[in-house]
Amino acid sequence: QKHPAAQYALGAMYSYGDGVTQDYQRAAQLFGQAAEQGNADAQHALGIMYDWGKGVAQDYKKAVYWYEQAAKQGNAGAQYNLGMMYARGEGVVRDSKKAFGLFRTAAEHGLPEAQYSLGDMYFNGESIPQSKKEAAFWYRKAATQGNALAQNALGIMYMRGDGIPRNDRQAFDLFNQAARKRIPEAIANLGLMYAKGQGTDKNYAYAYTLAHHAALNIKSAARLENELKKIMSPDDRTRAASLTIDEILK
């Protein structure tokens, strides 16, 4: 007791198995001790434990409570996670407007996950007037910090010229960055760019390899894979047979 920062740090070590045997129950106990003393990081961490049922019985209402305590202290991660609870209606009545407000606060604190979610709300016009300009602004903020979902979303906007000027090269680069993080949608979109020669030279072997990789998760990739089979030359087929996705995305 009375050393909440140390309790939180030790709890984090048990949670991640960093230097000690991983023990979620011990982590939750330490987070709880620190959270009761007002440590915002521990409150957020304890909220996550209740949210996911790690080391404690899953309890969305308790997750919301601890996220709220940390969010009041300006913890951006807790603000974002509390926003997700309102967005999903878990532990609280679903409220998209509250989710938007929390995402906005966390996004303004620089949290890329919140910036991406805020961009999505603007793009879809969910509880707020639709604004592709604002969507692109927040996607770009998150993409610059390496958020793969935002990179893919912004890439789609550039590819289609949807709300922003069309730019195939920008779209290609963004899909490539997201694909390196193995986002199936980005891998499929990158395959499409190679198939059409948009933002890069046309390369059916690359397109096929990427589409084949994403086909289990993305229907459009499965369709592209089948279309490419009909038009690929024997040389394309031979090259594709020896390619790996790692070679393309290096």
Side-chain angles (χ1 to χ4, degrees):
Q1 297 290 327
K2 298 183 181 179
H3 298 286
Q7 290 166 332
Y8 165 71
L10 185 57
M13 292 177 72
Y14 276 109
S15 180
Y16 292 110
D18 183 9
V20 294
T21 301
Q22 190 174 54
D23 187 335
Y24 289 130
Q25 289 185 332
R26 181 62 177 143
Q29 181 184 38
L30 287 159
F31 288 151
Q33 292 171 3
E36 291 287 357
Q37 296 174 76
N39 183 283
D41 289 331
Q43 291 168 342
H44 178 215
L46 187 59
I48 292 172
M49 303 297 267
Y50 278 115
D51 195 352
W52 293 94
K54 287 188 174 183
V56 292
Q58 189 176 53
D59 189 324
Y60 289 143
K61 288 187 177 180
K62 286 183 179 179
V64 166
Y65 173 80
W66 287 112
Y67 286 153
E68 284 177 338
Q69 302 313 302
K72 289 174 185 175
Q73 296 194 65
N75 185 291
Q79 291 162 347
Y80 169 71
N81 283 329
L82 183 59
M84 290 301 296
M85 302 300 275
Y86 276 108
R88 296 189 298 248
E90 292 176 344
V92 290
V93 175
R94 188 176 183 276
D95 190 327
S96 295
K97 288 185 178 180
K98 283 189 177 180
F100 172 81
L102 287 157
F103 289 155
R104 177 110 201 175
T105 300
E108 289 172 348
H109 286 158
L111 192 73
E113 294 86 352
Q115 292 168 341
Y116 166 70
S117 294
L118 187 61
D120 256 5
M121 294 191 82
Y122 274 117
F123 187 88
N124 296 314
E126 188 178 348
S127 300
I128 51 170
Q130 186 183 53
S131 173
K132 299 289 180 70
K133 181 179 178 181
E134 283 291 316
F137 174 83
W138 288 108
Y139 283 153
R140 192 174 290 109
K141 287 272 192 184
T144 300
Q145 295 193 69
N147 184 282
L149 295 176
Q151 289 166 341
N152 183 63
L154 185 59
I156 291 171
M157 293 185 76
Y158 275 120
M159 179 176 67
R160 297 175 178 170
D162 188 6
I164 54 177
R166 177 173 166 171
N167 189 320
D168 288 344
R169 186 64 208 183
Q170 285 273 26
F172 176 84
D173 288 344
L174 286 160
F175 291 147
N176 197 45
Q177 290 173 49
R180 286 174 179 169
K181 301 180 182 76
R182 299 302 189 267
I183 301 299
E185 293 86 350
I187 294 171
N189 287 329
L190 189 63
L192 184 62
M193 301 295 276
Y194 274 117
K196 294 185 174 182
Q198 288 181 221
T200 188
D201 294 333
K202 187 177 290 187
N203 189 317
Y204 286 155
Y206 278 19
Y208 180 85
T209 301
L210 291 163
H212 178 73
H213 185 90
L216 287 175
N217 304 99
I218 309 296
K219 288 183 179 179
S220 62
R223 289 195 296 270
L224 177 61
E225 181 185 16
N226 288 330
E227 290 170 8
L228 286 167
K229 285 179 182 177
K230 300 172 185 176
I231 61 175
M232 289 171 69
S233 69
D235 285 345
D236 290 329
R237 293 174 183 274
T238 300
R239 177 66 177 135
S242 65
L243 272 174
T244 67
I245 190 171
D246 290 328
E247 291 177 77
I248 299 170
L249 300 177
K250 62 184 178 182

